[in-house]
Amino acid sequence: MDEEPNKKTLHRYYDLIAGGVCLIRQTAEEQILFVNEEMLRIYQCATEDEFFQLTKGRFAGLMEAEDYIPLEARTNSRHGDLDEGYSFLTFRCYTKTGNYRHIEGTFHKVNSPTFGKIWMLNLVNKERSMADSDLDPVTGLLNMHAFYQRVQKKTNALRKTAEPDALEMRYCPVYLNLTNFKVYNELHGIYEGDRMLRKIGQLLKSAFPASYITRLSGDNFALFVPRDGLEVKLKEVCQAVNNEVRMPNITMKAGIGIIEAAASAHRRPITTYFDQAKLACDSIKKDATRSVAFYNESMRQSITDRIFILDNLDRAICKGHIQVYYQPVVRAMTGKFCGCEALARWIDPAKGLLPPDSFIPVLEESRLISRLDCHVIEEVAKLLRYQMDNHFPMVPVSVNLSRYDFLLMDPLAFVERIVEQYHIPRYYLRIEVTESALVKNRHLLIEKLHQFHQSGYQVWLDDFGSAYSSLNVLQNYEFDELKIDQGLLRYFNEDSRKIIRSIVLMAKEMGIHVLAEGTETREHIDFLRAIGCEKIQGYYYSRPMPYELLREQFQEAGWQVETLPEEQALDAAGLINLITDAPVAIFQYREDRAVILSENEAYQNALTTTGTSSLQEFNANMQQQSYPMREKFMAFLAAAVHSSGERRMTFVENGSTCA
Ligand code: C2E
Ligand code: CA
Ligand code: CA
């Protein structure tokens, strides 16, 4: 069918209509077939070509990605059905010239003689009706521009009053942010989201009558309010908002800026103080115990540091100021060095050592983290190559990947390229991703981690038990190893021990290896060994340090390094559960000797029934005597270890395990 001449006819009709008209094909692609002139005006496009370029000719292209829900789904949604066949629609978009707009209107199904089955959209630009007013179309509060104008005027007036410090003493800028509000929109839809924002506007108005209040954008509000009793009032209003939203991970946070009294500060625009209030607000974003914070000087320092990091990252990488430190991992059963973790350190000639906590979040927020992670991976590869060339003992090295790496680049392709370039067996590189990384972009990560696994890399789950601890995480991914978060050892009490014990038990049931991080004391080590945690990393053994230093220390202390066949054997043995009432012990034949590697409490108790007075005595006997014959050894154990009914022994021999 020739659509062009028909379009002319359509223009003749639809260009007369005051609102925007958009016709969309009723297929999964939701292709835009026709728009009238008002649509071009709403999107500030000079020509139809511009419009189709901007929207890619698709319904989804009309709006912000997060507002997109297919039309078919909208008709079935909770707020979709109005009158028969007509549904309500609201979304946000950017126009061709970069203006941000709220669009609303209706849509319905039409059987068009020109196009067949289509959707017809009638849209208006919400701001248009309010264009001349100073109000925010969603909440009816002042819009940002009007707010700042009025606050600046008020500030100037207060500064002119005879009373010194009138402004500083009496008024404060406040910035409010509803954390994770996106989730609310995703769950309830934009329409409900806007309703909630209006409700919040009302709560703010009744808490601060006759004050300047604005919605700056999205879920951010600002106030210019009397200082008296402010903190208490803000806490109350945050609580009221939380009660209204009723979703535990969506919380209102407020930051209070402090206007300086010094005359030198008088020329500063008022917005500076709102920026400070925002910093204060951001500082408690992740602190569940606080809803209100005052701005202080250290927050300003954090901005300066942030700028330094962003300005100097590339230079620091080029000049070698970003180094990789290595922290050893020790096999609990043998005490041998069995791996290490690569950790980034920024050593600036002027500022000294910057810990990763100071620059990694900044690099993540600004989406520059992949530059750092690629650098670390390449440095690790260089080290492995150096070790191979010099026939130094080697252990696998794990590197940390940020979830942003998966959004910004293809980490697997990068790792593969590096592995090829430096001729390194894949076995020596392991990938760590944190538990929290899996909360967002779950599907992408499942796919990408699966690809890593398929390509022959071990994938480890870092910081397990830190925040989101959900067993589902383990079901959907193929993790080779869990790293128990160091927070659990930090508060080393009966509760945390219970959690660690159950993590170890669960991991073994699922056939996943376990490593405990942040082990600092002998007590930690003894506990972890007793419950069968396989690997241990922490200050007790060593802090992260440059490779050369680590090697020196190792040589001095005479540490032994685990070999590849040992790893395979001990990995298999490590999956055996020691957290059981049945007596279990793991032995290893070393040359002609059997050496006990691990035993549980039941085994120790059972032992006392053999007439041996202590485990030490038994083990000493075991190690003194020679048992070249496996049968003889088993017979010895069978005679030695009795328990009421159940008996179980496990051997690790030449890379194989038997129980
Ligand atoms: P992480 O991956 O959980 O790394 C373990 C952190 O625990 C390291 O901190 C390590 O120094 C510290 N640690 C190890 N043993 C102990 C102990 O016994 N006690 C205590 N108190 N701490 C211990 P670090 O090096 O400061 O790194 C902090 C975090 O920064 C890392 O946590 C990781 O999430 C991130 N990070 C470090 N390097 C990189 C990197 O190259 N790329 C990415 N994406 N993240 C990195
Ligand atoms: Ca890690
Ligand atoms: Ca960790």
Side-chain angles (χ1 to χ4, degrees):
M1 184 185 324
D2 185 7
E3 293 176 351
E4 278 314 307
N6 287 314
K7 271 196 184 171
K8 275 191 189 147
T9 323
L10 292 173
H11 274 293
R12 273 215 299 279
Y13 289 116
Y14 289 123
D15 288 349
L16 295 175
I17 290 180
V21 173
C22 180
L23 305 183
I24 290 168
R25 207 188 285 288
Q26 268 183 43
T27 54
E29 286 75 37
E30 297 179 325
Q31 184 198 351
I32 299 176
L33 300 164
F34 169 84
V35 287
N36 72 348
E37 291 208 324
E38 179 58 16
M39 275 302 276
L40 302 186
R41 271 195 289 276
I42 292 176
Y43 283 84
Q44 299 186 298
C45 294
T47 63
E48 230 169 71
D49 279 352
E50 271 187 16
F51 179 86
F52 279 93
Q53 248 174 25
L54 179 71
T55 59
K56 303 205 170 56
R58 305 270 297 271
F59 170 63
L62 291 178
M63 63 201 73
E64 287 261 82
E66 63 184 46
D67 291 354
Y68 172 69
I69 304 165
L71 284 162
E72 195 62 58
R74 282 172 200 259
T75 51
N76 303 326
S77 78
R78 203 143 61 89
H79 304 286
D81 299 317
L82 292 179
D83 278 318
E84 302 123 44
Y86 281 84
S87 294
F88 187 73
L89 183 70
T90 168
F91 56 81
R92 297 160 295 180
C93 70
Y94 279 100
T95 67
K96 168 87 175 130
T97 52
N99 287 318
Y100 192 58
R101 293 199 159 157
H102 283 79
I103 307 293
E104 62 182 22
T106 58
F107 66 102
H108 64 285
K109 285 183 180 172
V110 173
N111 215 339
S112 144
T114 313
F115 301 113
K117 287 190 171 173
I118 57 165
W119 294 101
M120 177 156 155
L121 274 52
N122 292 90
L123 303 173
V124 290
N125 168 15
K126 240 176 155 183
E127 283 87 352
R128 205 175 166 209
S129 50
M130 297 226 182
D132 300 327
S133 96
D134 287 337
L135 302 184
D136 163 40
V138 175
T139 58
L141 298 170
L142 285 177
N143 66 31
M144 180 173 73
H145 183 66
F147 172 82
Y148 280 138
Q149 257 184 351
R150 286 176 204 201
V151 171
Q152 188 71 60
K153 224 166 149 185
K154 171 101 181 165
T155 312
N156 296 344
L158 281 166
R159 280 192 168 135
K160 280 189 195 131
T161 58
E163 197 187 325
D165 301 347
L167 173 65
E168 294 75 15
M169 300 309 293
R170 287 182 9 216
Y171 281 87
C172 284
V174 175
Y175 179 94
L176 293 126
N177 173 250
L178 204 49
T179 60
N180 296 322
F181 191 63
K182 262 189 189 165
V183 179
Y184 192 91
N185 277 331
E186 276 163 20
L187 275 177
H188 301 285
I190 303 292
Y191 188 75
E192 266 301 301
D194 282 359
R195 202 195 58 78
M196 182 53 73
L197 292 173
R198 260 192 303 280
K199 179 76 204 169
I200 293 168
Q202 284 158 9
L203 288 171
L204 291 172
K205 269 190 200 163
S206 47
F208 301 100
S211 297
Y212 296 126
I213 306 176
T214 181
R215 187 174 69 109
L216 292 170
S217 66
D219 48 19
N220 305 315
F221 295 81
L223 319 169
F224 191 62
V225 282
R227 192 164 177 164
D228 257 0
L230 179 58
E231 195 180 355
V232 175
K233 269 192 198 167
L234 281 174
K235 279 184 184 163
E236 284 168 3
V237 94
C238 287
Q239 191 54 50
V241 170
N242 298 346
N243 294 345
E244 194 67 37
V245 176
R246 290 204 303 188
M247 288 176 68
N249 52 352
I250 301 180
T251 46
M252 191 65 147
K253 302 279 181 188
I256 307 175
I258 306 291
I259 298 178
E260 289 159 90
S264 60
H266 282 200
R267 257 179 274 121
R268 260 185 218 152
I270 194 70
T271 47
T272 318
Y273 299 103
F274 283 95
D275 290 344
Q276 295 178 351
K278 179 177 186 306
L279 280 182
C281 181
D282 289 348
S283 74
I284 50 169
K285 237 183 197 169
K286 290 180 186 155
D287 184 346
T289 62
R290 297 178 65 193
S291 57
V292 181
F294 280 91
Y295 170 77
N296 62 40
E297 263 308 289
S298 71
M299 293 173 188
R300 195 175 63 90
Q301 188 55 43
S302 82
I303 288 274
T304 321
D305 291 348
R306 195 188 159 85
I307 293 170
F308 173 84
I309 289 161
L310 298 180
D311 285 354
N312 290 283
L313 175 69
D314 289 337
R315 201 173 61 96
I317 290 178
C318 280
K319 297 217 158 180
H321 297 163
I322 295 191
Q323 297 189 9
V324 182
Y325 276 31
Y326 296 88
Q327 186 177 31
V329 174
V330 170
R331 173 84 60 184
M333 280 189 205
T334 58
K336 284 190 183 181
F337 175 32
C338 67
C340 55
E341 176 172 10
L343 294 155
R345 295 287 180 272
W346 186 325
I347 303 159
D348 183 74
K351 286 179 174 271
L353 185 124
L354 306 178
D357 290 351
S358 70
F359 58 87
I360 282 171
V362 176
L363 296 178
E364 287 192 327
E365 274 166 35
S366 48
R367 309 291 189 264
L368 290 171
I369 187 70
S370 54
R371 291 199 205 162
L372 173 89
D373 286 342
C374 290
H375 170 68
V376 170
I377 291 168
E378 183 153 11
E379 288 300 303
V380 169
K382 281 183 197 163
L383 172 69
L384 292 169
R385 186 68 256 159
Y386 168 79
Q387 291 175 326
M388 286 165 87
D389 290 345
N390 290 284
H391 307 288
F392 289 152
M394 289 171 74
V395 288
V397 182
S398 61
V399 293
N400 292 282
L401 287 186
S402 157
R403 81 180 173 91
Y404 295 101
D405 290 331
F406 293 91
L407 303 176
L408 295 165
M409 58 176 293
D410 183 348
L412 175 59
F414 179 80
V415 170
E416 287 280 76
R417 188 164 68 69
I418 291 291
V419 157
E420 202 167 297
Q421 185 182 339
Y422 291 90
H423 297 289
I424 297 162
R426 292 186 177 93
Y427 160 84
Y428 282 112
L429 258 188
R430 295 178 180 185
I431 305 300
E432 293 189 19
V433 282
T434 61
E435 192 190 357
S436 57
L438 306 177
V439 173
K440 292 188 176 162
N441 313 105
R442 174 175 284 258
H443 298 293
L444 174 80
L445 254 89
I446 289 184
E447 180 57 28
K448 295 288 173 189
L449 294 178
H450 175 72
Q451 287 170 7
F452 258 110
H453 212 236
Q454 290 291 97
S455 310
Y457 296 94
Q458 282 202 16
V459 180
W460 293 3
L461 180 58
D462 201 1
D463 298 350
F464 189 76
S466 58
Y468 302 92
S469 247
S470 145
L471 303 181
N472 295 344
V473 165
L474 297 178
Q475 270 166 13
N476 295 334
Y477 297 84
E478 305 152 70
F479 289 110
D480 300 280
E481 188 156 317
L482 282 189
K483 295 187 80 168
I484 299 178
D485 187 56
Q486 49 181 286
L488 287 171
L489 281 181
R490 204 169 303 134
Y491 307 101
F492 194 57
N493 52 31
E494 200 33 57
D495 281 346
S496 65
R497 282 194 287 269
K498 254 187 215 158
I499 298 174
I500 295 172
R501 228 181 260 126
S502 57
I503 293 177
V504 170
L505 188 64
M506 172 196 69
K508 285 189 200 284
E509 269 169 16
M510 300 182 83
I512 304 174
H513 299 291
V514 207
L515 182 159
E517 277 189 294
T519 45
E520 293 184 353
T521 63
R522 186 70 234 174
E523 208 190 350
H524 289 159
I525 311 278
D526 289 343
F527 166 73
L528 292 165
R529 279 194 50 143
I531 60 166
C533 175
E534 299 166 67
K535 294 181 187 172
I536 296 177
Q537 177 183 347
Y539 294 172
Y540 180 83
Y541 290 112
S542 168
R543 285 178 180 260
M545 56 182 80
Y547 170 71
E548 289 301 341
L549 200 61
L550 192 66
R551 210 163 69 88
E552 260 172 42
Q553 291 206 355
F554 265 53
Q555 278 168 347
E556 263 171 39
W559 275 42
Q560 288 182 307
V561 179
E562 185 170 289
T563 60
L564 179 58
E566 270 178 320
E567 184 189 37
Q568 283 168 355
L570 293 167
D571 266 356
L575 291 177
I576 290 159
N577 178 21
L578 293 180
I579 311 172
T580 162
D581 293 336
V584 180
I586 300 173
F587 295 85
Q588 186 183 37
Y589 288 114
R590 288 193 190 149
E591 289 153 12
D592 59 348
R593 285 176 180 190
V595 179
I596 195 155
L597 295 177
S598 257
E599 71 284 318
N600 67 357
E601 219 179 299
Y603 175 83
Q604 292 172 18
N605 293 338
L607 207 66
T608 55
T609 65
T610 65
T612 316
S613 63
S614 72
L615 182 68
Q616 279 77 13
E617 190 189 324
F618 173 80
N619 290 343
N621 286 341
M622 285 286 300
Q623 287 179 36
Q624 276 163 16
Q625 298 180 39
S626 245
Y627 293 97
M629 299 293 292
R630 184 188 172 83
E631 284 74 11
K632 205 171 159 192
F633 177 60
M634 282 181 78
F636 175 83
L637 281 177
V641 184
H642 290 286
S643 78
S644 51
E646 243 186 308
R647 186 171 346 146
R648 187 175 166 195
M649 277 151 281
T650 301
F651 299 88
V652 181
E653 187 187 22
N654 302 333
S656 65
T657 322
C658 70

